[in-house]
Amino acid sequence: MAINFLRPGFRLISAPTFLNRTNKVVSFVVLALCAAPLPAGQLPPMSAEEILREAPLRIEKYRTAEARIVVIDPSGQPVADAVVEIEQKRHQFLFGCNIFLWGRIQDPELQQKYLDGFAAILNYATIPFYWWSYEASQEKPNHDYTERVARWCQEHGIVTKGHPLAWNYSEPRWLPKDLQEVLGLQLARIDDCVRRFRGLIDRWDVVNEATHFDREECVRRAPRLTATWQQVGQIEFVKACFRKARQASSEAVLIINDYRIDPAYEKLIEQLVDDQGQPLYDVIGIQSHMHDGVWSTQRIWEVCERFSRFGVPLHFTETTILSGPRPRSTGRPWVTTPEGERIQAAEVERFYTVLFSHPAVEAITWWDFSDLMSWQGAPAGLFRADMTPKPAYETLRKLIKDKWWTRYQTKTDSSGTVHFRGFLGDYQVRLRTVDGREFVNHYTLRKNTINAWTIKLPQ
């Protein structure tokens, strides 16, 4: 049974009780009293022990809201003993992963296990837009494949994000030598992708790893794109990309993303503002690859506090926690181990609990879902290469769909009222009458909003 925060005087009842309570025709109103605005960078310093000990209280404060259901008959009178079933269908918080192996696993059985496992617990997917592979031949972008992935996600209630629109880690081989022409092509690409996928993909990592864009690796692997960036200027290039993305869609969520979590990234963010001083970005993306050791609880918290001062949501965009030690010698495979999987599961619970309890964090994206073709060949997946789930997957399932999930069935009191507290997100509310009729409606429990819904049943 998932968590239910009950007020005194309310109790759970069984489905049979529901079917034998009342034969009155009713309507009901649901009023959700949501959490107060989330503070940013204002939480007091805490020790690691305090951060973990108080996490459940913060989760209740920031991730749940009170709700009141009032059941009334056609004349507006309260109906006592009416039974209502409340079940969460999707989190408002984004629990995600990249979905890079969609349609790319040759074995149909393994492909289906990948997709089924993904959709069973996650509501957020990162779709690849790496320019050098997305448009390997000029004017032949991979839009058809991308649309199929995004449509599948949409059908399964999974929100999508494109990653990234601009990044100079590599570049298409066909880029021209003229740097002004390269800039024009880069901005045209941003405009095309954002406009084309409006309504299907509305979250974008606009610029990736801008803080140290001119590092040696980028100069070597993407000489023309890096030279264009240098010519325009570090900040002006990023601003141009964000402006172009915003022109293409006023509704898109635009993200600046980086592996740097130091003052240099903060300085870059501070400069990404328009002429009126308003941020050009909507979200700050933070990479958290932990190939050489997991972050301490204190470090996780300090990163959240450091970047929450900007007053926008934080997305942990690329998270890896490994299930096997790095090989001692080069050339040897990096494999998952039973002990490594045990450690990974425990660290997943700690990492996600700390982030879910911080009010500034809005999304966590795992990287990659399976060890099959994983980044750097590391055993970072929630699934093994044979598509069997690791303990970390089960740990995450229990958190997302059990501990942090609301299912509740009860009956109204003498005033026709039910109180409950639920995690923010989408809900199904079911009402059955004693004559066997059943009515189902769907609502969204939002923060900082009074949500009221009325269902009037026929005579």
Side-chain angles (χ1 to χ4, degrees), residues 64 158 184 223 274 281 290 317 368 451:
T64 70
I158 298 170
D274 61 20
Y281 54 88
M290 292 174 266
T317 54
D368 298 276
N451 302 283

Side-chain angles (χ1 to χ4, degrees), residues 16-38:
T17 307
F18 178 91
L19 297 174
N20 291 282
R21 283 294 179 183
T22 178
N23 60 359
K24 291 184 179 181
V25 178
V26 301
S27 65
F28 65 86
V29 177
V30 181
L31 178 63
L33 305 176
C34 297
L38 306 182

